[in-house]
Amino acid sequence: MDVSSASFIPRRVAGAAEARAVLASEGAAIVTGLCDERSAVAFGREVLGDKAVRIGTQFEATKAHGEKEAAQVAMQPVDSRGRKRSMAPTEDRMVAHNDGFAFGDYAPDHLFLWCERPAARGGDSFLIDTSRLLDLLAVDPEWAAVADFCRGIDIDHSEPNYPQGTHAPIARTAPSGRFQGRYHPYLAPVEGPSEAEHWTFVRRWEEAVVAARDTGPMFRVDAGEMICIDNYRVLHGRDGHSDPLRKVCSIWGWSTEAVAVPDGPLDIVVPKVPMSA
């Protein structure tokens, strides 16, 4: 099945109001002319508008920072289900994901990726609209059951050794009415009598996401540009690169439409889910 149309290149827009409108209708937009990180965070807050609750830089995506975090994660043990956390080298194409997936309901509902310096070669970005991807699966007789599973069966969205304490479908309607579709490499069925059967559907969802990533378009973001993303609806990632000078800031934003907002900073190396809403 051809799922390449679930991947897309976002439109370049002018101003926060247009970015907000395109973000709501299409899932992502690109803005230009943001000269520094402070300007990027301020623009993201303007996009959130009167719904803004919290926004700030979560981490800087550089080769050195990624290698440091990967070394820390590599020391963490295998969990009771045989799963182990890992962070791939920057030379690999990134796994499609929603940022903050380890935190479940506390993941940001908006993501802003500001580019200070692109890689000299490689590092192009990709986006996958999970709503579009599920619609494509739903009309294909060989994949319709996968779409039904994603929309109707609770699974475990936790990372190894960091349980979230709740289960939910891959795709759902958030309390605010917004669509939410999720993917990351540690999705697993809820343990129990249906686990073996449900693994088949989880792995087919992974297959569909990887196919959308690898057959859809990629695009380059230049210095001073920022991708504004509906982090509930759109998966993102980048192609491999080896440039030690590439720098992108991942800015997380929570609006009044977020399922839950954390009380303080979140640590992606030790992703313990906050205990209070």
Side-chain angles (χ1 to χ4, degrees):
M1 182 184 63
D2 182 5
V3 293
S4 60
S5 63
S7 292
F8 67 103
I9 299 175
R11 284 199 278 151
R12 282 175 166 78
V13 300
E18 186 180 6
R20 188 184 311 118
V22 173
L23 191 59
S25 62
E26 301 175 18
I30 296 177
V31 295
T32 62
L34 299 173
C35 60
D36 54 34
E37 182 182 335
R38 182 176 180 179
S39 298
V41 173
F43 186 90
R45 181 174 293 277
E46 191 176 353
V47 171
L48 296 181
D50 58 8
K51 294 182 179 179
V53 176
R54 182 177 175 187
I55 186 171
T57 300
Q58 177 66 25
F59 61 88
E60 294 180 353
T62 62
K63 184 175 174 61
H65 184 77
E67 289 173 349
K68 179 182 178 181
E69 289 189 336
Q72 293 174 289
V73 169
M75 298 175 64
Q76 296 173 353
V78 174
D79 74 358
S80 61
R81 306 180 77 173
R83 303 179 305 162
K84 189 179 189 317
R85 298 180 78 215
S86 65
M87 293 185 175
T90 58
E91 290 78 7
D92 291 355
R93 180 171 291 183
M94 189 176 283
V95 174
H97 62 286
N98 319 86
D99 257 21
F101 58 81
F103 304 102
D105 288 348
Y106 290 89
D109 60 323
H110 290 81
L111 171 64
F112 304 92
L113 297 175
W114 174 70
C115 179
E116 178 175 311
R117 186 185 187 281
R121 182 168 57 185
D124 289 0
S125 297
F126 63 82
L127 299 175
I128 301 172
D129 183 343
T130 57
S131 178
R132 170 65 176 161
L133 181 55
L134 283 166
D135 287 346
L136 290 170
L137 300 183
V139 297
D140 187 308
E142 295 184 7
W143 286 87
V146 178
D148 289 342
F149 175 89
C150 290
R151 290 168 169 155
I153 302 298
D154 285 355
I155 69 163
D156 183 356
H157 293 263
S158 301
E159 282 201 83
N161 293 310
Y162 294 98
Q164 295 174 6
T166 60
H167 301 131
I170 287 169
R172 65 179 180 177
T173 300
S176 66
R178 278 174 55 190
F179 171 85
Q180 185 176 27
R182 293 183 277 184
Y183 177 76
H184 64 77
Y186 307 109
L187 296 180
V190 176
E191 293 183 273
S194 299
E195 184 176 358
E197 176 191 357
H198 289 176
W199 264 121
T200 299
F201 292 102
V202 171
R203 287 170 177 146
R204 292 202 78 192
W205 173 239
E206 176 182 26
E207 181 183 346
V209 168
V210 171
R213 180 196 70 175
D214 291 346
T215 62
M218 291 194 174
F219 59 95
R220 184 173 178 82
V221 178
D222 290 321
E225 295 189 323
M226 184 164 73
I227 316 173
C228 308
I229 301 171
D230 178 344
N231 192 50
Y232 279 1
R233 170 180 167 185
V234 175
L235 310 176
H236 73 281
R238 50 121 185 97
D239 206 359
H241 74 90
S242 58
D243 189 342
L245 298 180
R246 178 186 185 269
K247 180 179 176 182
V248 171
C249 290
S250 181
I251 300 166
W252 290 8
W254 288 264
S255 75
T256 55
E257 295 178 348
V259 177
V261 181
D263 294 329
L266 299 174
D267 183 352
I268 64 174
V269 174
V270 183
K272 295 182 179 179
V273 176
M275 298 306 295
S276 62

